[in-house]
Amino acid sequence: MSKNPGLLSAPVRVFWELGLKSGVSRERAFRTAEELIALKVFYVTIRPADGQSARLAAELIEKSSRFAHITLSVASPDAFPGQGKTVGIKALDIYNFPAGRLQESTTILKNAPAGVALSVTAVPEKGKLDGLLEIIREGLALGIKIFSLANPNLVNIHCSGADKPVPPSPSGGEAVSRFILGKSDREYLKRGLEALFAPHGDEARLLVHDLFLHEALNLPGLGRAEYAGCQAGDAIAFIAADGTVYPCATLPLPLGNINGESLKDIWAGAARRKLRAEIEALPGVCAACGLSARCLGACRGLAFASGGFGLPDPSCGRDEQSGGSVPGEKAS
């Protein structure tokens, strides 16, 4: 847990989806940026939702870059602020582009400030692993050397034609299940990644957010700092395009909204304290598991969206060691 559990301060990382069309005004966005500066939040990722928000992002970057390490995350070509308007960012991430369309990011990459870290982030999904491997192949061909496999954004997951938060599902989280890779999926992904990265040696880096996928891939050079358990609502905060603050993008449980409250008040509020208590209380099945000291319950967002905090992380492969089935993978 962070040293200042009631404060938004270093080392908290704030991920901010900027969307002027979703209910956050320009004035409110600037006040939030000023608050992040005042609270000395160092790591901030800004992801504009569209061209209009990209222009605002450029202004916020100019205002904040002297005080924070800013990553610009771009999910579509029209959400890039443009040449000369991203001076001050420390990193540029191409986020979850569809397979075959990464070439559309070439203009973005050419207009990135000199010296910034370039990366590609993709979300593993069952039935779409060939597309993920194609994205990485395209990225390597473009000269990108840093790649991330991220957990899904369950706050903005596309459901029935509308973006909306995913409520806990007692039926097992149908919206979540497609992101839970079974043993055969993980083995297939590992072989594909090995083939792609082998020619690049130590020049290319792969970061894997999910603990269990990280361990299953076990690729050379795939290092990881000591795992400290789910950091949602502790070292991570996510601000959605409508201003709602969540513990992280994978845990769709709202804590407040910047349109009506300050970030400081939201972070110090009862909702976040209750959330952290629930995250730190291991489910019974996890507490009785001999591996719990290693995973600490792992991703509580995936568990919550699959049915509630009382369930284990559905990515957990603990049953494999005893010859049982992998959670989320149907027996063949």
Side-chain angles (χ1 to χ4, degrees), residues 104 228 322:
E104 297 177 20
S322 59

Side-chain angles (χ1 to χ4, degrees), residues 151-175:
N151 280 349
N153 182 332
L154 298 183
V155 171
N156 291 342
I157 193 170
H158 196 68
C159 297
S160 304
D163 288 341
K164 58 184 179 181
V166 180
S169 169
S171 64
E174 293 181 6

Side-chain angles (χ1 to χ4, degrees), residues 17-39:
E17 286 197 338
L18 198 60
L20 285 174
K21 298 178 181 179
S22 300
V24 176
S25 68
R26 173 188 173 86
E27 292 72 23
R28 174 57 65 181
F30 267 93
R31 284 200 292 271
T32 299
E34 290 169 355
E35 188 176 7
L36 288 171
I37 293 171
L39 292 170

